[in-house]
């Protein structure tokens, strides 16, 4: 099997997951498209480093690193924020579109959860997306993020706690 066939069979089925991660990390669909394209090119270039049937975590690691590089270029410091209240409020105030399919996706609870996830720091946002949205095992997340499993568990706990806290407070104050 040639490189192209290997790429198409093992990597391409996971491009949607890569886009999803990039969109959550970068908070911008166009930037996510760009990051995914760059990550896919890197994945093809370094296809020889893919071992066994671990294409999904391998690709998501490349996507994550590509996004982190993009974020570092754009901003110095905000990546360290625990939670960005301004992003949370701005996301909640974003206009709801008139498209029926989009309206269904943007019901109140979903918008609140999405806004809260987007407002998390990148380190917390990436683990919550990889675990809760992409359903990856802790060991795979640890490999992607390049931290010990205990750190993944700690970040997930902090992310879930912050989401609970923010969503509960927002429910109490519906302004």
């Amino acid at each position: 099997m040639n490189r192209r066939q290997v790429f198409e069979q093992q990597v391409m089925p996971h491009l949607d997951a890569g886009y999803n991660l990039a969109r959550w990390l970068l908070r911008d669909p166009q930037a996510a498209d760009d990051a995914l394209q760059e990550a896919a090119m890197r994945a093809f270039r370094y296809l020889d480093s893919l071992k066994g049937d671990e294409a999904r975590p391998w690709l998501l690691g490349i996507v994550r690193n590509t996004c982190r590089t993009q974020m570092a270029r754009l901003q110095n410091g905000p990546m360290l924020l625990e939670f960005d209240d301004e992003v949370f409020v701005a996301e909640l105030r974003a206009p709801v579109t008139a498209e029926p399919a989009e309206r269904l996706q943007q019901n109140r609870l979903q918008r609140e959860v999405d806004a809260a996830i987007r407002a998390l720091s990148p380190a917390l946002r990436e683990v919550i997306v990889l675990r809760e949205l992409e359903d990856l095992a802790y060991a795979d997340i640890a490999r992607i993020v390049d931290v010990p499993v205990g750190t993944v568990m700690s970040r997930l706990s902090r992310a879930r706690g912050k989401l609970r806290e923010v969503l509960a407070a927002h429910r109490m104050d519906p302004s």
Side-chain angles (χ1 to χ4, degrees):
M1 201 177 329
N2 67 34
R3 289 174 60 82
R4 188 174 142 253
Q5 291 171 320
V6 170
F7 185 82
E8 287 174 356
Q9 288 180 356
Q10 293 188 16
V11 178
M12 286 184 67
H14 306 293
L15 291 178
D16 286 343
Y19 174 77
N20 190 40
L21 177 61
R23 186 176 49 81
W24 280 106
L25 290 178
L26 299 173
R27 302 186 283 205
D28 176 5
Q30 183 60 45
D33 281 336
D34 294 344
L36 182 62
Q37 183 175 10
E38 184 176 336
M41 290 185 332
R42 286 182 185 175
F44 187 78
R45 186 177 314 128
Y46 297 106
L47 192 59
D48 296 336
S49 69
L50 174 61
K51 305 285 189 256
D53 294 332
E54 298 185 11
R56 187 172 185 218
W58 177 80
L59 175 64
L60 292 177
I62 295 171
V63 170
R64 181 242 184 210
N65 291 339
T66 302
C67 291
R68 298 289 283 206
T69 300
Q70 253 186 2
M71 289 187 297
R73 266 188 251 137
L74 296 174
Q75 50 188 297
N76 292 329
M79 288 178 61
L80 302 175
L81 291 175
E82 185 70 22
F83 190 82
D84 192 336
D85 291 311
E86 290 176 15
V87 170
F88 180 66
V89 171
E91 287 287 334
L92 287 178
R93 291 191 176 142
V96 177
T97 63
E99 296 294 321
E102 290 179 7
R103 230 180 328 167
L104 286 174
Q105 290 180 339
Q106 293 180 345
N107 65 49
R108 184 178 175 111
L109 179 59
Q110 186 64 51
R111 289 188 65 180
E112 290 172 8
V113 171
D114 287 355
I117 291 172
R118 282 187 185 92
L120 289 172
S121 69
L124 298 182
R125 191 168 57 240
E126 68 190 4
V127 295
I128 203 82
V129 167
L130 290 170
R131 177 69 190 131
E132 302 302 341
L133 302 180
E134 294 302 328
D135 200 30
L136 289 174
Y138 290 0
D140 288 337
I141 297 169
R143 237 186 343 262
I144 291 167
V145 180
D146 195 28
V147 297
V149 172
T151 302
V152 169
M153 294 168 71
S154 172
R155 288 180 183 177
L156 276 170
S157 177
R158 286 189 5 236
R160 288 172 178 151
K162 189 63 180 178
L163 290 174
R164 272 191 302 275
E165 173 191 326
V166 168
L167 293 171
H170 182 70
R171 287 272 173 213
M172 300 276 219
D173 178 25
S175 53

